[in-house]
Amino acid sequence: MASVVFLVAPGGSLKGEIRVPGDKSISHRSIMLGAIAEGVTKVRGFLEAEDALATLAAFRAMGVKIERSENGELTIYGVGKRGLVGAKESLYLGNSGTSMRLLSGLLAGQKFSSVLTGDDSLSKRPMTRVTDPLALMGAVIGTTENGTAPLYIEDMPSLKGISYEMPMASAQVKSCLLLAGLYAEGETCVTEPAPTRDHTERMLEGFGYSVKREGGQVCLTGGGELKGTEIDVPADISSAAFFMVGASIAKDSDVLLKHVGINPTRTGVIDILKLMGADITLSNEQVVGGEPVADIRIRSAELKGINIPEELVPLAIDEFPVLFVAAACAKGQTVLTGAEELRVKESDRIQAMADGLEQLGIDAKATVDGMIIQGAEEGLSAGKVDSHGDHRIAMAFSIAALRAKGNIEIDDCENVNTSFPEFIELAASLGLMVKVSTDG
Ligand code: S3P
């Protein structure tokens, strides 16, 4: 198959004002909860990218009418909690771990069976982290012998609530169990070892469903109903992160990112960059539909290496590829620990980033649960790197070119479309010198 290649010329600055596309996590959840609510849900700012569209297509296949206009506006005609119908074929969820893990919970208690499939990357990712606790609730879900997709979910009219302590900090596992809990008898409680994104909890409340939260525990009681609502999806902080790092490391840069979601379970990237010495200011802070948003201004700064506090890891979990680039351009050593989850993302992000950085002349050592990076203030060398089909790795290495001594060529970039199809256009509008070609 032809591969999309990004070729990025070295240097330059980032300047200007942009709004990056809608938050991926919130977009997925808006479809899922809108579909099973009573009445109509209107969504603004929906992320029109492959992952969120895979969730949309799955619900259409289960009989939900969803109207989509060109500018990210959706109207979802909710069918109520028991109104979904079994899809005629298996539900193909592409590259999207969030679609598969959250849907497995939502579909575990339906009166019809379902099969969930994904692309090569998704078919390698661990699914027993959701199927094991779902089995404790009474669900019957088959996986491959490696515990991976396809998932075969049997019809199961009665689940029962459980109290579950998650072995890892995962918002996907927590959300999966809460969605199954909507269909379960009695109370479902999930305890997390560290705070993770809480969009499911906030959105359930927005749909009028009561959620109890205390310390690290979230509980809900099955049997209630959701009422259609209006959702305003903020710009995705995980997409904004590329330009936060880009504007920090490139000389003479000044970027304003508009209306970015700053839910405190997502702002680890801001805290980590500030610890490294970044110049970041927030303005226009407001709460929109239960989610805090702000405009974020970033100007060039001299970054320094740090030991990344482990409690920030789950709060910045998707931003490490580009944070490693920040570390590569910082003065001194950066050490990340406690981030073994990075090994089971769309790619093994520890290995893929360490290999790519080494390729670009940086001393980056992968460890079991993180990385040790020696910053090179003089920048990175020219070179060719492989994104391993991982959207965030492709975008992170594009940003690295701002401090490179020659061109950086990145292979296998088509999956940037899973989360940020406008990346090239927006990055170029700010000043990144990037070209796209198709190889093969
Ligand atoms: C997500 C949770 C995180 C994150 C993913 C989106 C979500 O995954 O990496 O991109 O929307 O709940 P984990 O729960 O596996 O950490």
Side-chain angles (χ1 to χ4, degrees):
M1 210 179 70
S3 161
V4 173
V5 177
F6 291 175
L7 184 66
V8 199
S13 328
L14 296 186
K15 282 200 175 100
E17 187 179 308
I18 55 167
R19 176 169 171 158
V20 300
D23 188 276
K24 183 151 76 72
S25 294
I26 298 177
S27 294
H28 282 297
R29 289 157 171 82
S30 71
I31 301 271
M32 294 183 190
L33 298 190
I36 59 166
E38 303 285 335
V40 173
T41 291
K42 296 230 178 225
V43 185
R44 280 196 302 161
F46 180 76
L47 171 65
E48 306 206 299
E50 284 171 8
D51 276 13
L53 292 173
T55 292
L56 188 150
F59 280 91
R60 279 187 174 157
M62 292 187 285
V64 182
K65 182 174 164 200
I66 305 173
E67 284 167 1
R68 188 177 151 206
S69 67
E70 269 160 31
N71 50 356
E73 286 186 18
L74 300 180
T75 306
I76 306 167
Y77 295 87
V79 295
K81 267 177 53 205
R82 286 289 170 198
L84 297 175
V85 292
K88 292 196 185 69
E89 288 170 6
S90 58
L91 298 170
Y92 177 70
L93 303 168
N95 195 241
S96 178
T98 308
S99 306
M100 186 168 286
R101 297 208 179 102
L102 271 58
L103 268 177
S104 67
L106 198 153
L107 296 180
Q110 302 292 335
K111 294 195 173 108
F112 53 82
S113 57
S114 309
V115 180
L116 308 184
T117 62
D119 70 4
D120 282 354
S121 152
L122 184 54
S123 304
K124 289 192 192 110
R125 296 180 66 186
M127 290 298 148
T128 50
R129 55 179 58 200
V130 288
T131 56
D132 285 350
L134 286 172
L136 297 175
M137 297 177 80
V140 182
I141 306 184
T143 64
T144 67
E145 59 186 21
N146 300 324
T148 52
L151 300 185
Y152 301 90
I153 305 175
E154 305 216 344
D155 51 324
M156 181 51 61
S158 62
L159 296 178
K160 51 183 188 311
I162 53 165
S163 189
Y164 187 68
E165 281 197 24
M166 290 196 294
M168 75 291 285
S170 165
Q172 291 181 353
V173 176
K174 172 177 66 173
S175 302
C176 162
L177 299 179
L178 292 175
L179 292 175
L182 295 175
Y183 292 88
E185 202 189 302
E187 196 177 41
T188 297
C189 291
V190 187
T191 306
E192 47 188 7
T196 66
R197 66 192 69 195
D198 65 354
H199 305 300
T200 305
E201 297 90 306
R202 285 175 189 249
M203 203 183 281
L204 279 168
E205 284 167 348
F207 276 88
Y209 207 98
S210 157
V211 177
K212 266 196 310 191
R213 300 213 241 172
E214 233 183 276
Q217 194 181 56
V218 197
C219 300
L220 57 73
T221 302
E225 281 180 359
L226 290 80
K227 285 181 239 31
T229 187
E230 293 198 358
I231 295 171
D232 185 335
V233 183
D236 197 330
I237 191 167
S238 297
S239 297
F242 297 103
F243 304 115
M244 291 185 203
V245 170
S248 299
I249 63 173
K251 63 173 179 5
D252 302 327
S253 294
D254 188 350
V255 167
L256 185 68
L257 301 165
K258 303 280 288 179
H259 203 72
V260 182
I262 52 156
N263 178 318
T265 59
R266 297 286 298 280
T267 45
V269 60
I270 298 179
D271 299 331
I272 293 170
L273 284 173
K274 280 191 172 165
L275 289 173
M276 297 177 80
D279 178 355
I280 303 181
T281 47
L282 269 53
S283 61
N284 218 357
E285 288 188 48
Q286 49 184 311
V287 177
V288 181
E291 289 281 350
V293 298
D295 296 340
I296 303 180
R297 182 176 184 188
I298 312 98
R299 283 173 281 193
S300 318
E302 286 206 359
L303 300 183
K304 58 176 196 299
I306 58 165
N307 292 333
I308 298 175
E310 282 196 12
E311 66 273 15
L312 292 178
V313 169
L315 312 179
I317 194 69
D318 290 336
E319 286 67 73
F320 284 104
V322 79
L323 283 169
F324 293 144
V325 170
C329 300
K331 184 174 181 177
Q333 171 176 280
T334 294
V335 181
L336 173 68
T337 53
E340 57 280 351
E341 278 293 303
L342 292 180
R343 292 206 178 264
V344 289
K345 293 293 176 189
E346 287 84 326
S347 69
D348 175 346
R349 287 183 173 162
I350 292 178
Q351 203 55 52
M353 284 304 300
D355 290 349
L357 287 172
E358 288 270 330
Q359 206 68 36
L360 301 174
I362 300 294
D363 178 359
K365 295 254 172 313
T367 62
V368 187
D369 63 344
M371 209 185 297
I372 303 169
I373 301 174
Q374 309 301 334
E377 284 169 274
E378 71 285 1
L380 301 89
S381 40
K384 193 170 162 169
V385 294
D386 186 350
S387 80
H388 297 270
D390 184 329
H391 54 139
R392 299 202 198 279
I393 297 213
M395 293 186 274
F397 281 122
S398 306
I399 291 298
L402 289 160
R403 282 282 288 278
K405 294 177 206 120
N407 287 341
I408 294 186
E409 191 179 320
I410 309 138
D411 269 353
D412 207 2
C413 296
E414 41 284 319
N415 277 340
V416 168
N417 286 331
T418 62
S419 69
F420 197 170
E422 302 85 340
F423 173 71
I424 290 292
E425 198 184 314
L426 286 177
S429 79
L430 292 177
L432 190 75
M433 293 176 280
V434 54
K435 279 199 209 122
V436 182
S437 67
T438 310
D439 189 14

Coordinates of all heavy atoms in Angstrom, one line a residue, residues 204-250:
L204 N -22.1 12.2 31.6 CA -23.3 11.5 32.2 C -24.1 12.4 33.0 O -25.3 12.5 32.9 CB -22.9 10.3 33.1 CG -22.5 9.0 32.3 CD1 -21.8 8.0 33.3 CD2 -23.7 8.3 31.7
E205 N -23.4 13.3 33.8 CA -24.2 14.2 34.6 C -24.9 15.2 33.7 O -26.0 15.6 34.0 CB -23.2 15.0 35.6 CG -22.9 14.1 36.8 CD -21.7 14.6 37.6 OE1 -21.0 15.5 37.2 OE2 -21.5 14.0 38.7
G206 N -24.2 15.6 32.6 CA -24.8 16.5 31.6 C -26.1 15.9 31.0 O -27.0 16.6 30.6
F207 N -26.1 14.6 30.9 CA -27.3 13.9 30.4 C -28.3 13.6 31.5 O -29.2 12.8 31.3 CB -26.9 12.6 29.7 CG -26.5 12.8 28.2 CD1 -25.1 13.1 27.9 CD2 -27.4 12.7 27.2 CE1 -24.7 13.3 26.6 CE2 -27.0 12.9 25.9 CZ -25.6 13.2 25.6
G208 N -28.1 14.2 32.7 CA -29.0 14.0 33.8 C -28.9 12.7 34.5 O -29.8 12.3 35.2
Y209 N -27.8 12.0 34.4 CA -27.6 10.7 35.0 C -26.7 10.9 36.3 O -25.6 11.5 36.2 CB -26.9 9.7 34.1 CG -27.3 8.2 34.5 CD1 -28.3 7.6 33.7 CD2 -26.6 7.6 35.5 CE1 -28.6 6.3 34.1 CE2 -27.0 6.3 35.8 CZ -28.0 5.6 35.1 OH -28.3 4.3 35.4
S210 N -27.2 10.4 37.4 CA -26.4 10.7 38.6 C -25.2 9.8 38.8 O -25.3 8.6 38.6 CB -27.4 10.6 39.8 OG -26.8 10.3 41.0
V211 N -24.1 10.5 39.1 CA -22.8 9.8 39.3 C -22.2 10.2 40.6 O -22.2 11.4 40.9 CB -21.8 10.2 38.2 CG1 -20.5 9.5 38.4 CG2 -22.4 9.8 36.8
K212 N -21.8 9.2 41.5 CA -21.3 9.6 42.8 C -19.8 9.5 42.7 O -19.2 8.5 42.2 CB -21.7 8.6 43.8 CG -22.9 9.0 44.6 CD -23.1 8.1 45.9 CE -23.0 6.6 45.7 NZ -23.4 5.7 46.6
R213 N -19.1 10.6 43.1 CA -17.6 10.5 43.0 C -17.0 10.9 44.4 O -17.4 11.9 45.0 CB -17.1 11.6 42.1 CG -17.7 11.4 40.7 CD -16.6 11.9 39.8 NE -17.1 13.0 38.9 CZ -16.2 13.7 38.1 NH1 -15.0 13.4 38.1 NH2 -16.7 14.6 37.4
E214 N -16.1 10.0 44.9 CA -15.5 10.3 46.2 C -14.1 9.8 46.1 O -13.8 8.6 45.8 CB -16.3 9.5 47.2 CG -16.7 10.5 48.4 CD -17.4 9.7 49.5 OE1 -18.6 9.5 49.3 OE2 -16.7 9.3 50.4
G215 N -13.1 10.7 46.3 CA -11.7 10.3 46.2 C -11.5 9.6 44.8 O -11.9 10.2 43.8
G216 N -10.9 8.5 44.8 CA -10.6 7.8 43.5 C -11.7 6.9 43.1 O -11.5 6.1 42.2
Q217 N -12.9 7.0 43.7 CA -13.9 6.1 43.3 C -15.1 6.8 42.6 O -15.5 7.9 43.0 CB -14.5 5.4 44.6 CG -15.3 4.2 44.2 CD -15.9 3.5 45.5 OE1 -16.5 4.1 46.3 NE2 -15.6 2.2 45.6
V218 N -15.6 6.1 41.6 CA -16.8 6.6 40.8 C -17.9 5.5 40.9 O -17.6 4.3 40.6 CB -16.6 6.8 39.3 CG1 -17.7 7.7 38.7 CG2 -15.2 7.4 39.1
C219 N -19.1 5.9 41.2 CA -20.2 4.9 41.3 C -21.4 5.4 40.6 O -21.7 6.6 40.6 CB -20.6 4.6 42.7 SG -19.3 4.0 43.8
L220 N -22.1 4.5 40.0 CA -23.5 4.8 39.4 C -24.4 3.6 39.6 O -23.9 2.4 39.7 CB -23.4 5.3 38.0 CG -22.8 4.5 36.9 CD1 -23.7 3.3 36.5 CD2 -22.6 5.4 35.7
T221 N -25.7 3.8 39.5 CA -26.6 2.8 39.7 C -27.4 2.5 38.4 O -27.7 3.5 37.7 CB -27.7 3.1 40.8 OG1 -26.9 3.4 42.0 CG2 -28.6 2.0 41.1
G222 N -27.5 1.3 38.0 CA -28.1 1.0 36.7 C -29.6 1.3 36.7 O -30.2 1.5 37.8
G223 N -30.2 1.3 35.6 CA -31.6 1.4 35.5 C -32.2 2.8 35.2 O -33.3 2.9 34.7
G224 N -31.4 3.8 35.3 CA -31.8 5.2 35.1 C -31.9 5.5 33.6 O -31.5 4.6 32.7
E225 N -32.3 6.7 33.3 CA -32.3 7.1 31.8 C -31.5 8.3 31.6 O -31.3 9.1 32.5 CB -33.8 7.4 31.5 CG -34.5 6.1 31.2 CD -35.9 6.3 30.8 OE1 -36.4 7.5 30.8 OE2 -36.6 5.3 30.5
L226 N -31.1 8.5 30.3 CA -30.3 9.7 30.0 C -31.3 10.6 29.2 O -32.0 10.1 28.4 CB -29.1 9.4 29.1 CG -28.0 8.6 29.8 CD1 -28.2 7.1 29.9 CD2 -26.7 8.8 29.0
K227 N -31.1 11.9 29.4 CA -32.0 12.8 28.6 C -31.1 13.6 27.6 O -30.1 14.2 28.0 CB -32.7 13.8 29.6 CG -33.8 13.2 30.3 CD -34.5 14.2 31.2 CE -34.5 13.9 32.7 NZ -33.5 13.2 33.4
G228 N -31.5 13.6 26.4 CA -30.8 14.4 25.3 C -30.4 15.8 25.7 O -31.1 16.4 26.5
T229 N -29.3 16.2 25.2 CA -28.8 17.5 25.7 C -28.0 18.2 24.6 O -28.1 17.8 23.4 CB -27.9 17.3 27.0 OG1 -27.6 18.6 27.5 CG2 -26.7 16.5 26.7
E230 N -27.3 19.3 24.9 CA -26.5 20.0 24.0 C -25.0 19.9 24.4 O -24.8 20.1 25.6 CB -26.9 21.5 23.9 CG -28.2 21.6 23.3 CD -28.6 23.0 22.7 OE1 -27.7 23.9 22.8 OE2 -29.7 23.2 22.2
I231 N -24.1 19.6 23.5 CA -22.7 19.5 23.9 C -21.9 20.4 23.0 O -22.0 20.4 21.8 CB -22.3 18.0 23.7 CG1 -23.1 17.1 24.6 CG2 -20.8 17.8 23.9 CD1 -22.9 15.6 24.4
D232 N -21.0 21.1 23.6 CA -20.0 22.0 22.9 C -18.7 21.3 23.1 O -18.1 21.4 24.2 CB -20.1 23.4 23.5 CG -19.3 24.4 22.8 OD1 -18.3 24.0 22.1 OD2 -19.6 25.6 22.9
V233 N -18.1 20.7 22.1 CA -16.8 20.0 22.2 C -15.7 21.0 22.1 O -15.5 21.7 21.1 CB -16.7 19.0 21.1 CG1 -15.4 18.2 21.3 CG2 -17.9 18.0 21.1
P234 N -14.9 21.2 23.2 CA -13.7 22.1 23.1 C -12.7 21.6 22.2 O -12.7 20.4 21.8 CB -13.2 22.2 24.5 CG -13.7 20.9 25.2 CD -14.9 20.5 24.5
A235 N -11.7 22.4 21.8 CA -10.6 22.0 21.0 C -9.7 21.0 21.8 O -9.7 21.1 23.1 CB -9.7 23.2 20.6
D236 N -9.1 20.0 21.2 CA -8.5 18.9 21.9 C -7.1 19.4 22.4 O -6.2 19.7 21.6 CB -8.3 17.8 20.9 CG -8.0 16.4 21.6 OD1 -7.4 16.5 22.7 OD2 -8.4 15.4 21.1
I237 N -6.9 19.3 23.7 CA -5.6 19.7 24.2 C -4.5 18.8 23.7 O -3.3 19.2 23.6 CB -5.6 19.7 25.8 CG1 -4.3 20.4 26.3 CG2 -5.9 18.3 26.4 CD1 -4.4 20.8 27.8
S238 N -4.8 17.5 23.4 CA -3.8 16.6 22.9 C -3.3 17.0 21.5 O -2.2 16.7 21.1 CB -4.4 15.2 22.8 OG -4.7 14.7 24.1
S239 N -4.2 17.6 20.7 CA -3.8 18.2 19.4 C -3.0 19.5 19.6 O -2.0 19.8 18.9 CB -5.0 18.4 18.5 OG -5.6 17.1 18.2
A240 N -3.6 20.3 20.5 CA -2.9 21.6 20.8 C -1.5 21.4 21.3 O -0.6 22.2 21.1 CB -3.7 22.3 21.9
A241 N -1.2 20.3 22.0 CA 0.1 20.0 22.6 C 1.2 20.1 21.5 O 2.3 20.5 21.9 CB 0.1 18.6 23.2
F242 N 0.9 19.7 20.3 CA 2.0 19.7 19.3 C 2.5 21.2 19.1 O 3.7 21.4 19.0 CB 1.5 19.1 18.0 CG 1.2 17.7 18.1 CD1 -0.1 17.2 18.2 CD2 2.2 16.7 18.3 CE1 -0.4 15.9 18.4 CE2 1.9 15.4 18.5 CZ 0.6 15.0 18.5
F243 N 1.6 22.1 19.1 CA 1.9 23.5 18.9 C 2.4 24.2 20.2 O 3.2 25.1 20.1 CB 0.8 24.3 18.3 CG 0.3 23.6 17.0 CD1 -1.0 23.1 16.9 CD2 1.2 23.5 16.0 CE1 -1.4 22.4 15.8 CE2 0.8 22.9 14.8 CZ -0.5 22.3 14.7
M244 N 2.1 23.6 21.3 CA 2.6 24.1 22.6 C 4.1 23.8 22.6 O 5.0 24.7 22.9 CB 2.0 23.4 23.8 CG 0.6 23.8 24.0 SD 0.0 23.0 25.6 CE -1.7 23.0 25.3
V245 N 4.5 22.6 22.3 CA 5.9 22.2 22.2 C 6.6 22.9 21.1 O 7.7 23.5 21.2 CB 6.1 20.7 22.1 CG1 7.5 20.3 21.8 CG2 5.6 20.0 23.4
G246 N 5.9 23.0 19.9 CA 6.5 23.6 18.7 C 6.9 25.1 19.0 O 8.0 25.5 18.8
A247 N 5.9 25.8 19.6 CA 6.2 27.3 19.9 C 7.2 27.4 21.0 O 7.9 28.4 21.0 CB 4.9 27.9 20.2
S248 N 7.3 26.5 21.9 CA 8.3 26.6 22.9 C 9.7 26.4 22.4 O 10.6 27.1 22.7 CB 8.1 25.5 24.0 OG 6.8 25.7 24.6
I249 N 9.9 25.4 21.5 CA 11.3 25.0 21.1 C 11.7 25.9 19.9 O 12.9 26.0 19.7 CB 11.4 23.5 20.7 CG1 10.5 23.1 19.5 CG2 11.1 22.7 21.9 CD1 10.8 21.7 19.0
A250 N 10.8 26.5 19.1 CA 11.3 27.2 17.9 C 11.5 28.7 18.3 O 10.7 29.2 19.1 CB 10.2 27.1 16.8

